[in-house]
Amino acid sequence: MKFSVLMPVHNGIKFSDLENSLRSILNNSKKFDDFVIIVDGIVDKKKKNLFFKLKNNKRIKIYYKKKTSLSKILNFGLNKTKNDLVFRCDADDKNSKKRFEEQLKFFKNNKLDILGSNLCEKFEGKKLVKIMPKYIFLINLIFRNPVNHMTVIYNKKKILKIGGYPEIPFMEDYALWLMSFMNKLKIGNIQKTLVYSNLDINTFKRRRNLKTIQSEFYLLFFLMKNNFLLSLIFVIPITLRILSKILPLDMFKILYISFRKNND
């Protein structure tokens, strides 16, 4: 089964994390035949040299874009991939050796349109596993994003048919899953940890600032525009998420970690 890999890269990514991420993709047990890398804005010399070396691999295509939003980058990238099945990978996350193999099998056997997995986040020496529900129903979508974006494989044609990623900063993936649900796409998660991410204190700062609070309002307006009745259900959950984002940093961190399973 042929598939593509889509990865956006920006200069804020640590070079060592980028190397580890690329290595985990190139050395995966199931080999891609199409890997699209979108470079978002200017990157440093070390990253440029790395991308230059990757160009020798005919299966890898690298595009350089002016700094823009993630949704625009991903929609551009989706249109550049050549296969219907596309894996999303983050440039600073490590993929398990059999991620592609295991998700392809589960995706096919369960006749899904979007498939994620559990995610392991490493923070202060602890391994925190974000466990996702096997199948996605409305109740799963209401209070939090039920799909780890960097773990996803999806059917590109169906994603583009519903308009691709909406322009909602920090919540473009959540909005996409909501649109997918409204359009009756089948969404699920394999109950395995297939992607590994690193957290630091800056991660929590990025997730609780004015811009992320604004994004909650943008999400509500987006829902009101596309399904007003559904938007009414989301008023209270969105309010609760906004309140969580104005908590002191230490309290927000405790709340965030409480939704993860300590896997040490």
Side-chain angles (χ1 to χ4, degrees), residues 204-218:
F204 299 105
K205 289 179 180 178
R206 288 194 299 269
R207 295 180 182 181
R208 55 169 295 282
N209 55 43
L210 181 58
K211 289 182 179 180
T212 59
I213 291 172
Q214 287 175 332
S215 291
E216 294 284 0
F217 287 107
Y218 295 150

Side-chain angles (χ1 to χ4, degrees), residues 168-183:
I168 302 180
F170 306 104
M171 305 192 85
E172 52 279 305
D173 56 328
Y174 192 9
L176 178 59
W177 315 146
L178 288 166
M179 279 298 294
S180 300
F181 179 83
M182 286 186 266
N183 283 275

Side-chain angles (χ1 to χ4, degrees), residues 178-203:
L178 288 166
M179 279 298 294
S180 300
F181 179 83
M182 286 186 266
N183 283 275
K184 303 187 186 306
L185 271 63
K186 193 174 180 184
I187 312 170
N189 288 292
I190 185 170
Q191 301 294 283
K192 294 183 179 182
T193 302
L194 299 177
V195 178
Y196 300 84
S197 178
N198 293 309
L199 301 181
D200 58 28
I201 196 64
N202 291 319
T203 307

Side-chain angles (χ1 to χ4, degrees), residues 50-230:
L50 178 60
F51 296 144
F52 181 78
K53 292 176 184 176
L54 289 175
K55 280 191 172 182
N56 294 324
N57 189 325
K58 293 182 180 179
R59 297 175 299 155
I60 299 176
K61 296 176 289 188
I62 302 173
Y63 298 90
Y64 293 85
K65 299 284 290 180
K66 288 183 179 180
K67 188 70 177 173
T68 186
S69 67
L70 180 58
S71 56
K72 286 187 172 70
I73 287 291
L74 291 173
N75 286 330
F76 173 85
L78 279 175
N79 282 289
K80 294 298 181 181
T81 56
K82 72 177 187 179
N83 296 305
D84 286 342
L85 295 182
V86 178
F87 277 92
R88 263 285 289 115
C89 291
D90 271 0
D92 53 356
D93 294 335
K94 183 179 178 181
N95 302 277
S96 71
K97 180 74 174 179
K98 292 190 175 182
R99 177 192 167 186
F100 300 156
E101 180 182 341
E102 295 201 42
Q103 282 190 283
L104 282 169
K105 182 179 178 180
F106 193 94
F107 188 89
K108 182 181 179 181
N109 290 345
N110 291 273
K111 298 179 180 178
L112 296 170
D113 301 306
I114 300 168
L115 173 67
S117 79
N118 294 338
L119 171 71
C120 179
E121 298 174 308
K122 296 179 182 179
F123 178 65
E124 294 182 344
K126 297 179 181 179
K127 294 179 180 179
L128 308 170
V129 179
K130 188 179 178 185
I131 299 173
M132 297 285 95
K134 186 173 182 179
Y135 296 111
I136 306 303
F137 304 102
L138 179 59
I139 189 66
N140 305 118
L141 286 158
I142 292 174
F143 287 97
R144 65 169 181 158
N145 187 338
V147 183
N148 295 311
H149 192 197
M150 68 288 282
T151 72
V152 159
I153 172 178
Y154 40 40
N155 183 311
K156 177 183 75 174
K157 281 186 177 179
K158 292 190 177 182
I159 295 299
L160 292 177
K161 187 177 180 180
I162 62 173
Y165 286 89
E167 188 63 32
I168 302 180
F170 306 104
M171 305 192 85
E172 52 279 305
D173 56 328
Y174 192 9
L176 178 59
W177 315 146
L178 288 166
M179 279 298 294
S180 300
F181 179 83
M182 286 186 266
N183 283 275
K184 303 187 186 306
L185 271 63
K186 193 174 180 184
I187 312 170
N189 288 292
I190 185 170
Q191 301 294 283
K192 294 183 179 182
T193 302
L194 299 177
V195 178
Y196 300 84
S197 178
N198 293 309
L199 301 181
D200 58 28
I201 196 64
N202 291 319
T203 307
F204 299 105
K205 289 179 180 178
R206 288 194 299 269
R207 295 180 182 181
R208 55 169 295 282
N209 55 43
L210 181 58
K211 289 182 179 180
T212 59
I213 291 172
Q214 287 175 332
S215 291
E216 294 284 0
F217 287 107
Y218 295 150
L219 180 67
L220 182 60
F221 297 150
F222 172 79
L223 287 170
M224 291 174 68
K225 180 180 177 182
N226 288 279
N227 189 321
F228 182 76
L229 290 177
L230 184 63

Side-chain angles (χ1 to χ4, degrees), residues 14-32:
K14 292 180 181 178
F15 184 77
S16 58
D17 288 342
L18 176 60
E19 278 191 312
N20 288 333
S21 179
L22 289 169
R23 192 178 296 115
S24 72
I25 293 168
L26 294 168
N27 296 332
N28 226 266
S29 61
K30 189 76 173 177
K31 304 302 180 185
F32 61 82

